Amino acid sequence: MTELRKARVATASLAGCFGCHMAILDMDERLIDLMSKVEIDRSPLTDFKQFTRRCDIGIIEGGCCNEENVHVLQDFRRNCDVLIALGQCAIMGGLPAMRNAIMHSDAPLRECLEEAFITGRNLTNATHNIPNDPALPLLLDEVYACNEVVEIDHNIPGCAPSGDIIYDTLIKLLAGKFHGFERETIRFD
Amino acid sequence: MASHPEDTAQKSGLSLEEKATIRSICREVEDDPARMMDILLRVQDRFRCISAPAMDVIAEATGLSRIAVEGVASFYAFFSSEPKGRVTIRLCDDIIDRFSGLASVTAAFENALSITVGETTPDGAFSLEYTPCIGLCDQAPAAMVNDLVVTNLTAERVHEIVAALKAGAPPEEVLVDRYAERTPYQRAKEMVSNNIRHAGPVLLGPVPEDAGLEAAVETGPAQIIRTLETSGLRGCGGAGFPTGRKWRAAAATEADRRFVICNADEGEPGTFKDRVLLTERPHLVFEGMTIAARAIGAKEGIIYLRGEYVYLRDLLEEVLADRRNRGLLGPAIMGVDGFDFDIRLQLGAGAYICGEEGALISSCEGLPGEPKTRPPFPVTRGYLGCPTVVNNVETLCHAARILGTGAQWFAGMGTKDSPGTKLFSVSGDCLNPGIYELPYGVSIRDLLEMVGAEDAAAVLVGGPSGTMIARDTFDRRLAFDDLATGGAVVVFNGDRNILEIVEYYMSFFVHESCGYCTPCRVGNVFLQKAIGKFRKGLANPSDIAYLRDLSDTIIETSRCGLGMTSPNPILSTLENFPLVYSAVAKPSADRTRATFDIQSAIENARQLAKRRSHIYDRDFTK
Ligand SMILES: Cc1cc2nc3c(=O)[nH]c(=O)nc-3n(C[C@H](O)[C@H](O)[C@H](O)COP(=O)(O)O)c2cc1C
Ligand code: SF4
Ligand code: SF4
Ligand code: FES
């Protein structure tokens, strides 16, 4: 009898604060149990920059604020069977999407950058320039939720979601028994 | 050359003379804030705009805050804060007009006037705008020109009209031959054909003058209501509420003042039967209102005429004056002591939502045309808080005929559930668009045969808030227990793009939502965008579920009938034309979203950074 292979999991942090990745670690010693069922492929946790092979589950933190985010997300979609949006930034755009509120402007992106680097109060930017190193990915006109760029299979809400909920969801998914959340588990008030 | 008064109004406040003019406009309605619509209509007419300083004067005269005045002025499409052209042309841009050559008519206006839709010529002579259905669907493309209308437009006709107007002729003379010599009725007929294709026994056949009112005077209030209840008459404005029951409820509410309101707002796209009754049977309309007044004990009545039908105002005022002269309105009607009743004409200003009775009452009260929370219903707390009967034009005409000829006679026609006849306004792809008075229960198939639409592929019954049906169900019947309609029947042939039609109607609801409920204000925008995805071939199968879900939410959580029916163009086509959707919804091969366009998303940054993308510009290294 062949032993069941471990599920392959990949993760990425896009336009997020890395808080959701920290939350993954918040499952504490249950990580040991989880690691008996999964192996981590492309992820900041392994520091693999590319997929070594197709994965079963992809976990995305953060939405898309620049072209590189889009590229990574599309790559994840193409290389993962199931894609999970983890946390509010991935699901809705979150805090970074506040720049989408600059609506009544002819050039919202420029206005945003100017305020962030030149005109904003309490700034210390000796160069008075907007950074434009060729290595910097181009920003998008708006911050997009993951679901606007690729199809997302599941959302795990929270900012950041608790280690418990991440663990429970992964365990149920691996057992093929995840059918969405009970209302009580995702209330925050 | 002296500058126009309104130019100064905009720049440096108003001259003393202009202020005096506005004050006297307010005084004409006794500075009554409830008559705000009349004040604003007159100020708009006089100055071609309602400027900020004008609002100040109005606020002061009526004792309202400036923001309250602005709230009303900014609600209605026909009011503007910027000066409109001395001739303002409003083209109907409904889907029927689009399918009847609107594009070339628009192009002709734009060429002749050297402006685009939405603009005013620099000399202030002309404005050109789009407006939703103006009730002339049987002679599309149609347009309003100031207070007049013009139908069956072609590019040549547009050039003639504009040339004459530019040469300085007033619109009356350009649009109506020998305008000055004609009666208001002749003027209306000169501009609009009423296309009565089939006259039935109740409304459009011969009608004895005021026979219903005579009977009502004889029998008295209780018997009037009993007669209407026996007749089974149901409201013709769309909802089909039993008219007798409505009148009984209003009569039963304790009050010192009661009101009768005739709903002549006729805004549902594709509906124009009230236009025909108001032109051809105005006495019957007022007779019906007077009978309603007798039944419920009302002394005051209002006919709320949609702004688009302002070309009928003189005709209606003339009929009202005539009835006053003949003792059919005013004190002691037909010599009956204590039977006093008079009617005021309230003009609207371009807002579909004002057809909803609560919004209509708000508008009559001088408020923004927002629906009211129900209950209380108007029959208990309506206009100015008093019991009010609101009935459709056609309903009131039927009521008068029922009183005159008999409940049994009426109930003997139509079906058990929907007795009597109904006016159907048929337009779109058919040989004989116009008005058909037919008994309830007639099948779509039979109607289509009469109107010459054998090649019909889709029929929209009841306008966009109604139902779109396909060829396989043309045996369905026009009656409240099958296909309900306020009168609109719009025919589309097989060449028409169903999704284009649906997208237009969603844009109509987006435009006309009063904005009070978020699900209606925002949800309809999302629905419209989602339909846009289908049209562009960017939808995937899950978007069909999304349409259904969002529609359910809007219906469930909206306050008034607009929101509760606005998803109908989508829901009824999903049900009756499912292939239209499934044919264009395709899953994306790699599960990325076709709707996300990286090139347009990075275009701004590309320009700001003055460099290309490492990732998405393939020729970066060249
Ligand atoms: C958005 C909306 C628009 C309406 N427009 C009209 C209209 O133009 N004319 C009309 O008679 N009823 C209209 N109605 C229905 C009225 O609210 C009301 O039911 C009707 O005037 C009652 O008269 P009836 O019982 O004689 O039909 C509309 C309702 C809604 C929700
Ligand atoms: S959801 Fe919260 S924790 Fe997660 S990336 Fe966004 S801001 Fe950070
Ligand atoms: S449903 Fe729409 S139109 Fe009706 S009250 Fe709400 S926002 Fe206004
Ligand atoms: S007038 Fe144009 S569709 Fe009704």
Side-chain angles (χ1 to χ4, degrees):
Chain A
M1 205 176 107
T2 53
E3 207 187 319
L4 235 50
R5 75 159 169 85
K6 283 185 174 182
R8 283 186 291 271
V9 176
T11 78
S13 174
L14 308 179
C17 74
F18 228 80
C20 286
H21 271 79
M22 302 313 286
I24 295 175
L25 302 181
D26 266 348
M27 54 181 97
D28 299 333
E29 67 276 11
R30 282 168 297 182
L31 269 172
I32 299 164
D33 171 49
L34 186 69
M35 290 312 291
S36 70
K37 300 186 170 70
V38 306
E39 57 184 314
I40 311 277
D41 196 84
R42 174 177 179 171
S43 165
L45 304 174
T46 56
D47 209 22
F48 293 178
K49 309 288 194 218
Q50 299 299 335
F51 285 97
T52 62
R53 52 216 288 205
R54 190 167 179 83
C55 288
D56 301 289
I57 298 175
I59 300 176
I60 306 289
E61 163 190 326
C64 294
C65 76
N66 66 34
E67 58 176 348
E68 197 229 352
N69 296 155
V70 172
H71 190 62
V72 172
L73 182 56
Q74 289 173 335
D75 214 21
F76 264 66
R77 180 68 274 179
R78 291 179 185 122
N79 285 284
C80 302
D81 292 345
V82 170
L83 202 55
I84 299 174
L86 178 66
Q88 241 18 61
C89 295
I91 298 172
M92 307 277 281
L95 210 62
M98 281 183 74
R99 82 163 152 99
N100 297 1
I102 310 173
M103 283 180 290
H104 304 287
S105 160
D106 296 335
L109 182 58
R110 193 182 58 209
E111 202 173 291
C112 172
L113 289 169
E114 280 174 355
E115 186 170 343
F117 292 103
I118 303 172
T119 61
R121 297 215 276 153
N122 311 323
L123 272 182
T124 29
N125 175 10
T127 66
H128 295 287
N129 281 333
I130 295 170
N132 191 14
D133 190 282
L136 290 174
L138 293 174
L139 292 180
L140 305 183
D141 55 346
E142 286 185 357
V143 175
Y144 292 82
C146 292
N147 167 59
E148 294 178 271
V149 178
V150 301
E151 292 175 26
I152 294 291
D153 300 296
H154 302 290
N155 294 318
I156 303 181
C159 175
S162 66
D164 295 346
I165 206 171
I166 301 174
Y167 176 77
D168 284 352
T169 310
L170 287 177
I171 294 296
K172 282 188 188 151
L173 262 179
L174 291 171
K177 287 183 186 152
F178 179 71
H179 305 292
F181 296 102
E182 290 302 325
R183 201 178 153 67
E184 289 313 305
T185 50
I186 50 166
R187 288 181 59 133
F188 301 103
D189 55 349
Chain B
M1 207 185 115
S3 66
H4 293 292
E6 50 282 8
D7 298 340
T8 30
Q10 282 298 300
K11 284 177 202 127
S12 56
L14 301 162
S15 70
L16 286 178
E17 196 191 329
E18 287 157 357
K19 282 189 186 165
T21 306
I22 297 175
R23 280 203 205 94
S24 79
I25 287 174
C26 296
R27 214 167 318 121
E28 277 173 49
V29 293
E30 290 157 356
D31 297 330
D32 184 356
R35 300 290 297 277
M36 188 55 67
M37 284 299 281
D38 293 312
I39 297 174
L40 296 177
L41 283 160
R42 281 171 216 175
V43 172
Q44 172 78 41
D45 245 16
R46 173 71 182 67
F47 297 91
R48 306 199 320 272
C49 70
I50 303 167
S51 65
M55 288 185 215
D56 287 330
V57 179
I58 297 170
E60 201 189 309
T62 53
L64 293 181
S65 65
R66 152 70 191 281
I67 197 72
V69 176
E70 190 166 347
V72 185
S74 61
F75 186 86
Y76 297 89
F78 290 180
F79 297 148
S80 59
S81 53
E82 296 298 314
K84 288 277 175 231
R86 286 184 289 282
V87 175
T88 298
I89 296 159
R90 297 193 169 95
L91 271 169
C92 168
D93 77 333
D94 188 276
I95 195 75
I96 300 176
D97 299 66
R98 294 181 192 199
F99 290 159
S100 324
L102 175 67
S104 73
V105 169
T106 302
F109 270 118
E110 290 181 334
N111 275 332
L113 297 171
S114 309
I115 50 174
T116 58
V117 172
E119 291 180 340
T120 300
T121 53
D123 61 356
F126 293 95
S127 292
L128 183 61
E129 294 178 356
Y130 276 143
T131 193
C133 177
I134 57 175
L136 297 166
C137 335
D138 52 340
Q139 39 219 305
M144 298 179 69
V145 179
N146 286 355
D147 287 357
L148 303 178
V149 293
V150 49
T151 61
N152 292 318
L153 281 165
T154 58
E156 295 89 82
R157 180 97 176 95
V158 168
H159 283 291
E160 276 168 33
I161 292 172
V162 173
L165 290 170
K166 276 187 166 170
E172 303 83 73
E173 279 165 29
V174 177
L175 300 179
V176 181
D177 189 34
R178 291 177 290 129
Y179 182 85
E181 299 160 33
R182 296 183 183 252
T183 65
Y185 176 75
Q186 288 168 332
R187 291 171 190 163
K189 293 284 284 185
E190 180 83 2
M191 291 182 280
V192 176
S193 350
N194 276 335
N195 292 328
I196 298 177
R197 308 284 183 182
H198 191 275
V202 185
L203 300 177
L204 298 176
V207 170
E209 237 175 77
D210 291 305
L213 184 55
E214 273 163 32
V217 165
E218 258 165 51
T219 56
Q223 185 57 37
I224 297 174
I225 292 175
R226 270 198 296 277
T227 304
L228 275 192
E229 283 174 342
T230 315
S231 76
L233 173 63
R234 300 178 64 162
C236 304
F241 190 82
T243 308
R245 206 194 306 165
K246 185 183 283 189
W247 291 14
R248 182 176 293 283
T253 308
E254 278 308 317
D256 300 334
R257 277 173 100 186
R258 296 194 178 79
F259 291 90
V260 173
I261 297 183
C262 171
N263 187 342
D265 196 59
E266 193 158 63
E268 187 73 34
T271 317
F272 51 88
K273 51 150 190 120
D274 295 342
R275 173 198 97 209
V276 175
L277 287 172
L278 293 165
T279 317
E280 301 293 344
R281 295 283 179 272
H283 280 282
L284 195 60
V285 179
F286 296 135
E287 184 188 344
M289 288 181 75
T290 314
I291 294 169
R294 174 87 174 143
I296 69 163
K299 303 221 173 304
E300 295 151 276
I302 300 172
I303 175 165
Y304 189 92
L305 183 69
R306 67 186 307 216
E308 291 81 350
Y309 287 174
V310 60
Y311 79 98
L312 294 172
R313 177 174 49 187
D314 291 350
L315 182 162
L316 294 171
E317 291 286 10
E318 190 184 64
V319 171
L320 286 173
D322 175 54
R323 293 183 74 82
R324 283 183 202 114
N325 282 337
R326 294 197 284 134
L328 299 170
L329 279 179
I333 290 171
M334 288 189 156
V336 179
D337 247 7
F339 183 13
D340 312 335
F341 179 66
D342 211 330
I343 297 170
R344 144 171 106 81
L345 188 152
Q346 175 68 65
L347 199 63
Y352 165 68
I353 189 61
C354 287
E356 195 280 334
E357 55 189 10
L360 183 148
I361 289 171
S362 299
S363 186
C364 290
E365 291 170 336
L367 302 170
E370 282 171 4
K372 299 179 187 265
T373 304
R374 300 146 64 101
F377 292 93
V379 285
T380 50
R381 278 182 61 85
Y383 181 60
L384 303 178
C386 305
T388 305
V389 156
V390 181
N391 272 129
N392 174 256
V393 170
E394 185 184 354
T395 315
L396 291 162
C397 292
H398 277 302
R401 293 287 286 131
I402 288 166
L403 263 288
T405 311
Q408 298 305 336
W409 163 75
F410 187 81
M413 294 175 276
T415 70
K416 190 167 172 305
D417 191 51
S418 314
T421 63
K422 177 85 186 81
L423 299 191
F424 299 108
S425 44
V426 185
S427 58
D429 298 315
C430 59
L431 290 177
N432 307 305
I435 295 288
Y436 296 77
E437 180 184 354
L438 298 168
Y440 274 116
V442 62
S443 74
I444 293 290
R445 191 179 306 286
D446 290 345
L447 181 63
L448 289 175
E449 199 171 308
M450 289 176 99
V451 306
E454 273 86 1
D455 63 344
V459 178
L460 179 66
V461 182
S465 62
T467 315
M468 180 91 117
I469 62 167
R471 206 174 268 150
D472 54 348
T473 54
F474 283 175
D475 286 323
R476 292 182 67 179
R477 292 175 185 280
L478 291 157
F480 287 105
D481 53 8
D482 193 352
L483 286 169
T485 172
V489 176
V490 186
V491 185
F492 298 104
N493 67 30
D495 296 337
R496 305 306 185 194
N497 177 343
I498 298 284
L499 289 175
E500 181 184 358
I501 298 168
V502 171
E503 192 179 31
Y504 168 73
Y505 286 133
M506 292 320 297
S507 74
F508 168 78
F509 286 123
V510 165
H511 186 257
E512 296 300 326
S513 163
C514 85
Y516 183 93
C517 320
T518 309
C520 170
R521 181 184 68 243
V522 179
N524 283 314
V525 174
F526 288 166
L527 283 182
Q528 185 193 354
K529 282 193 178 156
I531 291 295
K533 267 167 63 173
F534 280 88
R535 285 202 66 198
K536 291 197 211 91
L538 299 175
N540 72 34
S542 68
D543 288 317
I544 294 178
Y546 171 81
L547 286 176
R548 287 215 169 87
D549 256 20
L550 183 54
S551 296
D552 289 348
T553 304
I554 296 172
I555 291 170
E556 183 75 26
T557 51
S558 285
R559 180 163 73 145
C560 87
L562 189 151
M564 291 174 202
T565 56
S566 59
N568 283 359
I570 292 175
L571 293 178
S572 70
T573 48
L574 273 175
E575 165 135 7
N576 298 322
F577 300 84
L579 295 180
V580 165
Y581 290 85
S582 55
V584 293
K586 35 184 189 300
S588 98
D590 58 1
R591 300 195 65 195
T592 59
R593 297 261 184 226
T595 40
F596 179 78
D597 176 13
I598 183 68
Q599 290 302 329
S600 77
I602 57 174
E603 183 52 27
N604 274 338
R606 213 160 17 200
Q607 286 178 9
L608 285 176
K610 300 193 175 59
R611 56 190 166 92
R612 291 165 173 272
S613 161
H614 289 285
I615 307 173
Y616 291 101
D617 286 324
R618 289 279 162 241
D619 55 352
F620 176 72
T621 49
K622 281 181 202 162

